[in-house]
């Protein structure tokens, strides 16, 4: 689209790359800050290539590698593709890297696991001792533990049935105390379970002498000594901090450590790397730690954001880059105003003008007409799609064709109580962030969709350990049985899978893998829905019947980012790292129920910005990331009243325009 390079800007870009190379040559840590579309990944890859060119033979002789830490597996794949075939670089997520080293010492993680269990027990003790349970606390703990199996059997029962059984067992009247009783007893049982695990660890029983990391899990299973992503970071950070030996392994193995998208990296990782740097200095070892990213693109709650050099990496060199290789000048100008900090970008192209930025105001009911006009004016088609970003999750689901499925899951008891987790656990395109039930749905629908597609390689949906063991006859039977095209709802799928798993070993093993269980029994799917979503047994059949198969497929396509439509819908967060010719942003005052006036506050306080206000920073970053996805055409449609913020909106975007001369809905402000 843009062709004429500005030679002065190109020289500036080349000088920045030389600065990075100089830091590497002088074994100096650095932070490379650059705005959206600046080519940070290119500079990262070139820095790695520079090391390979100059030091590959020496590193191979010393059995050393360059370590490149990425935030996602997708980013890791992108960097690997750009580097080509090389054994000198380890590109992985931080979790994969840490576990590849620490796995050999997983017995050493047991003390940290014990401490976590003790903290959980203390938490349950605090809950149990609450005064609201005073009447219930007279129940004998031994009686509670002895009748655990019966308790869980009747846990989902109605109050009358529950009370009838447990008044006899517990020996106290439970009228109007059913909920409190269930809460109290369940916490007693959870505490007891963890106490038994501690005893098993102390006795060094089989299965309790090591800690295991399960990459497939999004949550811990402390009772079985299995941990998930966040806990791995927690244990690893403590272990490395405590162990001189492990620090030495890291420092000897990785003389160069680069972090991609550093702003999204967990603060524990930054702390860990700082620990390695300080250790290297103490033993006269040279190590280069380089951070590549942009603090203004930190949009995740667990990201470190801007690295505090007063706390970490005090002697690091900050290398900023103000060049943009992505967007038209008109979009860059708006992006600079939104981020409003020391990074002021300019295009590397002489012919970058000609982009279009427009700001509109209306309401949610007018979005359809707005999109229709945009499609007409921008000549939108499947070959030239319009990418629409929305703040409201239910609207994204509705427009993407799976609104009923999304709302149905959101209305389950589990997600009713976890409003703030819905977006991440149901709509995240990072599979590791999906909730337990959505992850099961994703894996299952993926298997069904891909097995029905004759163009797909069987290894893309059947795990290698299963594929390598199945016979040709089993494979033939699998293909002949994998037609789900006529199914209408989730219940039909489940009923069919029950038959298939009983009839064919391949299906049984695939379902065991998807569900992460040792056996498949008749009610396992219903039990999963009851356990993970807390749907009442009497409502499970209705829940499964109401889950439309076509909507499930559309949801899967959304998660996979493979929507083949003229208008493609995204959450703000899911657009990170992407770029599109045509972008429409639908935004309003609030970001869901929990962040009232989230966006509005940014515009209100734009001319008096508080860089210590985390909410303001987060709102700024979210708007900045959304805007900077656009290459050529950017249109913003604000769905709330802008009278209180029109001055600052005009300051950033220019005038608020009508959608077209003929439109009766959009009035010029």
């Amino acid at each position: 689209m843009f062709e004429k390079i500005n030679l002065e800007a190109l020289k500036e870009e080349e000088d920045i790359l030389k600065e990075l190379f100089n830091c590497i040559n002088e074994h100096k840590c650095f932070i490379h800050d650059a705005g959206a579309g600046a080519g940070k990944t290119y500079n990262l890859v070139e820095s790695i290539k520079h090391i390979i060119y100059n030091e590959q033979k020496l590193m191979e002789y010393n059995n050393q590698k360059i370590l490149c830490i990425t935030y996602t597996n997708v980013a890791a794949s992108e960097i690997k593709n750009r580097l080509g075939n090389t054994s000198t670089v380890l590109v992985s997520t931080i979790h994969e890297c840490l576990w590849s080293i620490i796995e050999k010492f997983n017995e050493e993680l047991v003390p940290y696991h014990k401490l976590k269990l003790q903290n959980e027990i203390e938490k349950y003790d605090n809950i149990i001792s609450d005064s609201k349970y005073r009447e219930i606390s007279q129940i004998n703990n031994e009686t509670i533990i002895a009748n655990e199996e019966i308790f869980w059997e009747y846990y989902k029962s109605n109050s009358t049935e529950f009370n009838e059984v447990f008044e006899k067992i517990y020996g106290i009247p439970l009228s109007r105390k059913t909920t409190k009783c269930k809460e109290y007893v369940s916490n007693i049982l959870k505490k007891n379970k963890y106490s038994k695990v501690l005893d098993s660890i102390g006795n060094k029983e089989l299965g309790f002498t090591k800690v295991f990391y399960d990459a497939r899990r999004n949550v811990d299973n402390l009772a079985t000594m299995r941990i998930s992503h966040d806990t791995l970071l927690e244990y690893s950070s403590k272990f490395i901090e405590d162990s001189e030996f492990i620090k030495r392994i890291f420092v000897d193995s990785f003389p160069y450590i680069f972090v991609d998208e550093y702003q999204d990296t967990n603060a524990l990782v930054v702390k860990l790397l700082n620990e390695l740097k300080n250790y290297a200095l103490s033993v006269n070892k040279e190590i280069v730690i380089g951070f590549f990213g942009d603090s203004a693109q930190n949009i995740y709650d667990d990201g470190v954001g801007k690295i505090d050099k007063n706390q970490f990496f005090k002697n690091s060199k900050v290398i900023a880059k103000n060049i943009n290789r992505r967007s038209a000048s008109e979009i860059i100008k708006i992006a600079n105003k939104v981020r409003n900090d020391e990074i002021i970008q300019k295009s590397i192209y002489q012919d970058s003008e000609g982009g279009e930025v427009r700001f509109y105001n209306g309401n949610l009911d007018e979005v359809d007409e707005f999109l229709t006009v945009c499609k007409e004016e921008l000549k939108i088609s499947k070959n030239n799609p319009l990418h629409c970003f929305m703040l409201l999750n239910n609207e994204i689901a509705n427009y993407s064709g799976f609104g009923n499925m999304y709302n149905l899951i959101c209305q389950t008891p589990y997600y009713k109580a976890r409003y703030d987790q819905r977006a991440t656990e149901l709509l995240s395109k990072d599979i590791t962030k999906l909730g337990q039930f959505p992850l099961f749905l994703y894996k299952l629908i993926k298997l069904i969709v891909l097995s029905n597609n004759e163009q797909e390689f069987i290894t893309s949906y059947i795990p290698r350990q299963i594929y390598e063991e199945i016979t040709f006859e089993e494979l033939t039977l699998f293909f002949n049985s994998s037609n789900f095209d006529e199914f209408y709802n989730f219940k039909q799928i489940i009923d069919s899978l029950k038959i298939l798993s009983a009839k064919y070993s391949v299906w049984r093993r695939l379902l065991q893998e998807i569900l992460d269980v040792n056996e498949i029994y008749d009610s396992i799917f219903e039990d999963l829905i009851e356990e993970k979503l807390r749907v009442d047994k009497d409502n499970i059949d209705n829940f499964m019947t109401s889950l439309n198969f076509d909507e499930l497929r559309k949801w899967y396509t959304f998660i996979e980012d493979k929507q083949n439509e003229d208008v493609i819908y995204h959450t703000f967060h899911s657009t990170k790292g992407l770029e599109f010719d045509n972008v429409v942003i639908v935004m309003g005052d609030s970001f869901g129920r929990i962040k009232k006036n989230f966006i509005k506050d940014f515009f209100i306080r734009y001319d008096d910005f508080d860089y210590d206000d985390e909410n303001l920073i987060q709102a700024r970053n979210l708007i900045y990331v959304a805007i900077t996805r656009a290459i050529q055409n950017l249109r913003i449609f604000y769905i709330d009243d802008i009278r209180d913020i029109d001055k600052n909106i005009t300051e950033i975007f220019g005038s608020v325009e009508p959608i077209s001369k003929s439109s009766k809905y959009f009035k010029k402000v």
Side-chain angles (χ1 to χ4, degrees):
M1 185 172 294
F2 312 123
E3 296 178 352
K4 296 181 181 178
I5 296 286
N6 182 313
L7 294 180
E8 185 179 326
L10 181 63
K11 174 67 167 54
E12 185 178 333
E13 192 178 61
E14 290 170 346
D15 288 344
I16 289 167
L17 196 56
K18 287 178 182 177
E19 276 195 80
L20 293 171
F21 291 171
N22 286 337
C23 282
I24 292 168
N25 297 339
E26 296 169 6
H27 295 95
K28 189 171 184 177
C29 296
F30 60 86
I31 301 169
H32 181 37
D33 262 321
K40 294 183 291 295
T41 304
Y42 174 83
N43 284 355
L44 169 61
V45 170
E46 289 302 302
S47 296
I48 293 173
K49 287 180 178 179
H50 175 78
I51 299 169
I52 292 173
Y53 180 80
N54 289 288
E55 297 190 44
Q56 183 173 10
K57 288 184 178 178
L58 179 62
M59 291 181 70
E60 287 177 349
Y61 179 80
N62 291 324
N63 197 27
Q64 295 176 318
K65 291 181 185 291
I66 303 162
L67 173 59
C68 178
I69 297 169
T70 63
Y71 186 68
T72 64
N73 288 315
V74 173
S77 298
E78 171 68 16
I79 292 170
K80 287 176 184 176
N81 289 335
R82 293 198 193 189
L83 286 171
N85 188 25
T86 175
S87 59
T88 313
V89 188
L90 173 61
V91 185
S92 80
T93 63
I94 186 62
H95 301 91
E96 289 174 342
C97 172
L98 287 172
W99 188 243
S100 68
I101 294 172
I102 291 173
E103 184 179 12
K104 306 176 186 70
F105 309 96
N106 57 357
E107 292 183 21
E108 308 297 323
L109 300 180
V110 172
Y112 307 109
H113 198 69
K114 284 177 64 178
L115 184 60
K116 194 172 186 72
L117 286 166
Q118 288 164 353
N119 289 337
E120 288 295 307
I121 290 170
E122 186 177 341
K123 181 187 77 174
Y124 289 127
D125 274 334
N126 290 333
I127 295 171
I128 292 163
S129 61
D130 193 298
S131 60
K132 71 177 182 179
Y133 298 121
R134 187 168 50 252
E135 293 176 84
I136 305 294
S137 64
Q138 59 185 289
I139 303 173
N140 185 278
N141 283 4
E142 291 180 4
T143 302
I144 291 174
I145 294 166
N147 292 279
E148 178 177 5
E149 191 173 325
I150 301 173
F151 173 81
W152 291 119
E153 182 183 344
Y154 284 89
Y155 185 79
K156 299 288 184 181
S157 304
N158 60 51
S159 296
T160 303
E161 190 176 3
F162 181 90
N163 291 350
E164 186 178 336
V165 173
F166 285 95
E167 281 181 2
K168 295 176 182 177
I169 293 174
Y170 296 153
I172 65 169
L174 295 179
S175 179
R176 294 191 297 274
K177 303 187 189 78
T178 308
T179 301
K180 287 183 181 179
C181 179
K182 288 181 177 180
E183 291 173 356
Y184 181 80
V185 172
S186 62
N187 282 312
I188 290 283
L189 293 173
K190 289 171 184 176
K191 175 192 170 182
N192 181 63
K193 179 172 69 174
Y194 286 159
S195 297
K196 288 168 68 177
V197 175
L198 281 178
D199 290 340
S200 297
I201 291 172
N203 296 329
K204 297 185 177 181
E205 294 176 14
L206 185 66
F208 295 90
T209 59
K210 299 177 181 179
V211 173
F212 299 92
Y213 166 62
D214 192 341
R216 299 172 301 177
R217 292 182 178 273
N218 294 344
V219 294
D220 296 324
N221 190 340
L222 301 180
T224 61
M225 308 294 285
R226 281 165 170 77
I227 59 174
S228 60
H229 316 304
D230 291 344
T231 304
L232 175 64
L233 288 182
E234 178 190 334
Y235 289 8
S236 301
S237 179
K238 292 175 181 175
F239 182 41
I240 292 170
E241 186 177 348
D242 294 341
S243 173
E244 300 287 304
F245 181 64
I246 293 295
K247 284 198 278 271
R248 187 63 184 242
I249 289 176
F250 265 97
V251 170
D252 286 347
S253 301
F254 306 113
Y256 302 96
I257 301 176
F258 296 149
V259 181
D260 184 37
E261 302 289 356
Y262 79 77
Q263 72 280 350
D264 297 326
T265 301
N266 192 292
L268 282 175
V269 177
V270 177
K271 181 185 177 189
L272 187 155
L273 294 174
N274 193 63
E275 186 78 25
L276 294 178
K277 183 206 71 170
N278 292 334
Y279 174 79
L281 287 171
S282 71
V283 295
N284 296 316
K285 286 276 188 178
E286 290 180 329
I287 189 170
V288 177
I289 299 176
F291 296 93
F292 295 77
D294 179 12
S295 61
Q297 294 190 65
N298 171 225
I299 59 175
Y300 303 113
D301 292 335
D302 60 347
V304 69
K306 198 174 185 73
I307 293 176
D308 184 358
K309 284 186 63 185
N310 294 321
Q311 185 177 7
F312 303 116
F313 301 91
K314 293 180 181 178
N315 297 316
S316 301
K317 185 172 184 178
V318 177
I319 304 171
K321 183 178 182 182
N322 296 324
I323 305 296
N324 185 294
R325 280 181 165 269
R326 173 182 296 159
S327 302
S329 296
E330 292 81 359
I331 294 168
I332 295 171
K333 179 183 177 182
I334 300 298
N336 286 338
K337 287 183 177 181
V338 168
R339 71 175 297 150
N340 196 23
D341 64 8
E342 65 275 8
I343 291 184
I344 304 171
Q345 286 191 310
K346 59 185 178 183
S347 178
I348 198 169
Y349 301 102
Q350 291 181 349
D351 57 348
S352 63
E353 294 184 352
E356 186 178 66
V357 181
R358 295 184 186 177
F359 193 102
Y360 304 92
N361 182 220
N363 59 63
L364 192 59
D365 294 336
E366 297 163 343
V367 170
D368 283 336
E369 177 161 349
F370 174 72
L371 293 175
T372 299
V373 174
C374 288
K375 286 165 67 175
E376 291 172 357
E377 293 184 353
L378 298 174
K379 296 178 173 58
I380 295 301
S381 66
K382 287 186 179 181
N383 294 324
N384 180 41
L386 181 66
H387 291 267
C388 181
F389 309 166
M390 290 183 158
L391 276 174
L392 301 175
N393 300 323
N394 61 322
E395 292 301 320
I396 291 168
N398 287 335
Y399 278 98
S400 299
F402 56 88
N404 178 68
M405 172 251 179
Y406 177 80
N407 289 323
L408 190 66
I409 295 176
C410 285
Q411 289 306 306
T412 61
Y414 180 86
Y415 281 109
K416 273 188 173 181
R418 291 165 173 80
Y419 180 87
D420 58 335
Q421 294 173 229
R422 294 176 183 180
T424 301
E425 295 197 5
L426 286 168
L427 298 176
S428 177
K429 295 180 181 182
D430 180 355
I431 309 306
T432 64
K433 288 183 166 58
L434 291 176
Q436 292 182 74
F437 183 76
L439 182 61
F440 154 70
L441 271 184
Y442 166 81
K443 290 178 178 178
L444 186 61
I445 302 304
K446 179 180 181 179
L447 172 63
I448 291 170
V449 169
L450 296 185
S451 65
N452 279 3
N453 187 345
E454 295 180 355
Q455 304 302 313
E456 288 288 339
F457 290 107
I458 189 170
T459 50
S460 67
Y461 54 91
I462 292 186
R464 183 171 294 278
Q465 66 268 26
I466 297 177
Y467 173 70
E468 289 178 346
E469 294 177 8
I470 59 178
T471 65
F472 181 76
E473 182 182 2
E474 288 176 319
L475 197 59
T476 304
L477 290 170
F478 170 78
F479 283 130
N480 291 338
S481 66
S482 61
N483 188 355
F484 294 83
D485 285 339
E486 297 182 0
F487 289 157
Y488 179 73
N489 60 51
F490 187 60
K491 188 173 188 311
Q492 290 176 329
I493 296 171
I494 294 304
D495 289 343
S496 177
L497 289 173
K498 288 179 179 179
I499 295 169
L500 290 172
S501 65
K503 194 173 180 180
Y504 304 116
S505 62
V506 178
W507 275 107
R508 187 164 56 256
R509 291 168 65 190
L510 284 170
L511 292 175
Q512 285 172 324
E513 176 73 19
I514 289 171
L515 292 167
D516 190 23
V517 295
N518 294 323
E519 63 175 305
I520 302 293
Y521 54 89
D522 190 56
S523 65
I524 191 168
F525 299 103
E526 288 84 354
D527 289 351
L528 177 79
I529 293 169
E530 184 183 10
E531 179 188 349
K532 304 302 183 187
L533 298 179
R534 298 178 186 167
V535 175
D536 189 88
K537 282 183 179 179
D538 295 336
N539 296 324
I540 289 175
D541 269 8
N542 183 55
F543 174 82
M544 292 195 295
T545 304
S546 300
L547 275 179
N548 181 277
F549 184 35
D550 186 55
E551 288 204 5
L552 287 171
R553 280 189 291 200
K554 288 178 178 177
W555 173 75
Y556 166 76
T557 303
F558 174 86
I559 298 297
E560 284 285 283
D561 211 10
K562 292 180 179 177
Q563 301 168 87
N564 184 27
E565 306 290 340
D566 56 354
V567 181
I568 299 172
Y569 300 92
H570 308 266
T571 65
F572 277 43
H573 290 81
S574 68
T575 63
K576 183 86 177 292
L578 305 176
E579 57 183 47
F580 312 107
D581 284 334
N582 310 301
V583 170
V584 163
I585 301 172
V586 180
M587 70 170 74
D589 292 344
S590 302
F591 185 29
R593 192 174 69 192
I594 58 171
K595 292 188 175 179
K596 293 294 183 183
N597 293 324
F598 182 67
I599 301 297
K600 185 178 182 178
D601 282 347
F602 166 76
F603 289 119
I604 287 176
R605 301 173 64 184
Y606 174 73
D607 54 359
D608 187 26
F609 200 82
D610 182 359
Y611 286 91
D612 293 323
D613 189 319
E614 290 185 8
N615 278 334
L616 275 184
I617 291 291
Q618 195 175 35
R620 187 276 306 264
N621 292 359
L622 204 58
I623 297 168
Y624 177 75
V625 166
I627 285 169
T628 54
R629 301 310 96 194
I631 298 174
Q632 190 71 26
N633 299 302
L634 172 64
R635 299 187 175 186
I636 297 101
F637 186 40
Y638 204 92
I639 60 172
D640 289 308
D641 191 336
I642 64 168
R643 282 175 293 185
D644 294 340
I645 54 178
D646 61 336
K647 176 178 173 293
N648 285 336
I649 284 176
T650 303
E651 170 68 24
I652 299 170
F653 297 99
S655 62
V656 180
E657 302 179 21
I659 190 168
S660 71
K661 291 180 181 179
S662 62
S663 176
K664 65 181 179 180
Y665 293 104
F666 297 84
K667 310 298 182 187
K668 189 164 184 175
V669 177

